[in-house]
Amino acid sequence: MNIRLMTTVVLAVLLGAPLALHAEEISADKQAIADMLAAMKCEVDPANIDAGAEGYELDDVFCSDGQYDMNLNADLTVADKRKE
């Protein structure tokens, strides 16, 4: 019984580790976006950041001069900025 429990724990850790690493990677991307937006005097809820094949789509970005939807390139440069 102890071997079965140990096997279950090891498998859970091994299978869960890639998910935890992926979640950390996403958080780092969202933090980098938040830092870039802060330099522009803007902010966005991390839940409103969607990753795509060519970059990121940001909905409801609040800036000092209004509210925007933005598309960012993969290198976090602004590809498109539309005032709402």
Side-chain angles (χ1 to χ4, degrees):
M1 181 155 165
N2 286 336
I3 293 174
R4 180 174 279 164
L5 177 63
M6 186 69 90
T7 302
T8 303
V9 169
V10 169
L11 285 175
V13 169
L14 290 176
L15 294 175
L19 296 175
L21 291 175
H22 184 67
E24 183 70 29
E25 179 180 318
I26 292 171
S27 296
D29 289 347
K30 288 185 178 184
Q31 184 59 50
I33 291 169
D35 293 342
M36 184 270 302
L37 290 174
M40 297 172 53
K41 297 183 181 177
C42 300
E43 60 184 26
V44 67
D45 183 340
N48 290 337
I49 301 173
D50 294 320
E54 302 195 10
Y56 300 90
E57 182 179 324
L58 286 62
D59 294 321
D60 301 327
V61 178
F62 294 97
C63 298
S64 59
D65 64 339
Q67 181 178 347
Y68 296 88
D69 284 342
M70 293 184 191
N71 290 324
L72 303 179
N73 295 318
D75 63 354
L76 303 184
T77 57
V78 177
D80 184 39
K81 182 177 177 181
R82 297 171 307 282
K83 191 163 187 150
E84 288 191 346

